[in-house]
Amino acid sequence: MDTTSAADAATPRPATTLPGSPREHLSSPTTRAVLRLQHTVLDAAREHLGGAGFTELLPPIIGPVTDPGARGAKQVDVDYYGHRYKLMTSAILYKQASLTAFDRIFCIAPNVRLEPLETSSTSRHLAEFHQIDVEIAHASRDDAMAVAEGLVAHVLRRVVERSAGELEVLGRDPDAFADLLSGEPFERRTHTAAVADLHGLGHDQNPDAEIDWAGEAVLSAKSSRPFFLTDYPKGSRGFYDKENPARPGRLLNFDLLAPEGYGELCSGSEREHEYGTIIARMRETGENPAKYGWYLEMVRAGIPGSAGFGIGLERLTRYIAGLESVWQASAYPKVPGVVSP
Ligand code: AMP
Ligand code: MG
């Protein structure tokens, strides 16, 4: 089966160029329009979440341990006074811990993941990026999906209202968002249904794994508005995505995919918070619980059940701005493997 050609037909044009010199990149009219638009995205996200009772916390950048759930990416070690610390691949552990103080939190969190070299040409991977990272105590997956949907819709509404000039410079027609802003709920499809759709389209998707990047692009290209995929199989995600007690082997999680071939914008889930289950899930996913001292101590003393998600800021900006590549959504882009400031 030729999955590559299906994806090629679906994906937005791959970036043929890499960033030029920092001066060239920063001062280009495109970059300046993108960064102004991204400023509107950040303002709108803070406005929406702040208005919904979320407290913004500044996330740690280094710690003894970080999210192990990044598919295929390497973590970066830091020598912290003789202790081996990590740069954060995501804020998940701190998000869960923070709910012992606040019921609704968010952070705009920098993440570093040394993605495999082959991702340098996917147009959607950076080695350094940011997430709009949200966590809600005592919430279900549905609650988290509702917040993600409301957030994306609010951001798009504000961009259309406030960034018309930037969209024009970028040649992005605001009508691309008319469907999204219609007020209709985003479609929800299970992983099982998405796999069946892909098989129907001749794409050889493994039913027990993440939807692969080519498959994601195919599904994304067939939609004109963002949509959710839910219920990923257990082996495909980190220990903190809660298993569905009513459907063993399936997680109470979701991805939000952008339309037009731009692919994944966001991943989220209801979280595991029971000490014994977390230890068992860590072992199942090949993690050594002994590394997670501070986190497991907090979990043992009790953290609230929760649900949450992280939206990739540069991915969201890329979709809104209609960019060829995600690196265009960063002032100082780190394309995997490319030496850069
Ligand atoms: P993950 O925890 O891997 O699902 O990451 C959360 C979100 O961050 C994803 O849905 C993407 O939007 C974004 N993201 C993940 N990895 C990268 C990357 N290498 N470059 C840019 N954005 C990323
Ligand atoms: Mg993901």
Side-chain angles (χ1 to χ4, degrees):
M1 233 168 300
D2 184 358
T3 53
T4 317
S5 58
D8 283 350
T11 320
R13 260 183 314 145
T16 47
T17 52
L18 289 171
S21 71
R23 179 185 294 276
E24 209 180 304
H25 174 59
L26 279 170
S27 59
S28 92
T30 301
T31 308
R32 291 197 301 157
V34 171
L35 296 180
R36 278 198 304 266
L37 186 149
Q38 192 170 72
H39 175 82
T40 302
V41 169
L42 286 167
D43 256 4
R46 289 188 160 111
E47 175 186 61
H48 184 75
L49 293 169
F54 285 83
T55 299
E56 178 172 0
L57 299 178
L58 294 174
I61 301 202
I62 57 172
V65 70
T66 186
D67 178 0
R71 50 179 175 185
K74 274 205 218 123
Q75 302 183 352
V76 178
D77 289 345
V78 174
D79 178 358
Y80 183 72
Y81 304 98
H83 299 271
R84 195 156 73 146
Y85 269 36
K86 307 282 183 192
L87 294 182
M88 288 302 126
T89 54
S90 96
I92 180 67
L93 307 177
Y94 297 95
K95 285 203 304 175
Q96 282 187 285
S98 302
L99 297 181
T100 55
F102 302 98
D103 275 355
R104 295 158 87 79
I105 59 112
F106 76 101
C107 41
I108 311 288
N111 298 159
V112 176
R113 300 181 185 178
L114 298 185
E115 300 281 2
L117 274 181
E118 59 268 26
T119 61
S120 64
S121 56
T122 61
S123 302
R124 48 219 197 93
H125 288 91
L126 292 167
E128 180 183 74
F129 60 96
H130 296 77
Q131 292 192 55
I132 305 173
D133 233 330
V134 174
E135 199 68 25
I136 317 157
H138 316 297
S140 67
R141 170 175 60 176
D142 276 347
D143 296 332
M145 288 166 80
V147 172
E149 181 169 338
L151 176 59
V152 168
H154 181 80
V155 164
L156 260 299
R157 213 172 297 120
R158 284 289 185 254
V159 165
V160 169
E161 284 167 12
R162 297 178 184 167
S163 299
E166 281 75 32
L167 291 174
E168 197 179 335
V169 170
L170 297 165
R172 182 66 157 151
D173 185 350
D175 281 352
F177 313 121
D179 233 10
L180 188 161
L181 294 174
S182 67
E184 288 291 307
F186 294 172
E187 188 211 334
R188 294 168 183 219
R189 207 182 309 173
T190 62
H191 178 275
T192 308
V195 169
D197 289 348
L198 285 170
H199 288 173
L201 292 164
H203 181 87
D204 189 16
Q205 170 64 45
N206 175 352
D208 300 318
E210 276 283 1
I211 305 291
D212 58 45
W213 295 323
E216 231 174 66
V218 171
L219 295 175
S220 164
K222 291 178 74 66
S223 186
S224 61
R225 57 209 305 269
F227 59 99
F228 288 109
L229 294 184
T230 64
D231 301 271
Y232 284 75
K234 197 168 160 189
S236 66
R237 295 286 165 98
F239 63 81
Y240 42 81
D241 279 17
K242 189 179 178 122
E243 186 171 6
N244 188 343
R247 264 189 97 192
R250 292 283 156 176
L251 300 170
L252 282 169
N253 66 357
F254 64 91
D255 271 12
L256 179 65
L257 270 70
E260 302 177 60
Y262 291 103
E264 177 186 340
L265 289 177
C266 160
S267 288
S269 72
E270 208 163 305
R271 311 301 188 188
E272 204 55 76
H273 73 290
E274 301 285 350
Y275 180 76
T277 318
I278 288 184
I279 299 270
R281 288 288 304 284
M282 281 180 169
R283 294 214 166 99
E284 277 169 22
T285 54
E287 283 303 306
N288 176 5
K291 289 192 317 191
Y292 290 82
W294 77 266
Y295 171 74
L296 287 174
E297 259 168 50
M298 279 199 95
V299 171
R300 186 158 45 189
I303 58 169
S306 67
F309 59 86
I311 301 184
L313 175 66
E314 292 82 0
R315 295 254 184 110
L316 178 63
T317 307
R318 178 192 177 210
Y319 156 57
I320 299 175
L323 303 174
E324 279 185 19
S325 183
V326 71
W327 65 255
Q328 294 172 286
S330 170
Y332 300 97
K334 307 288 187 307
V335 177
V338 176
V339 175
S340 41

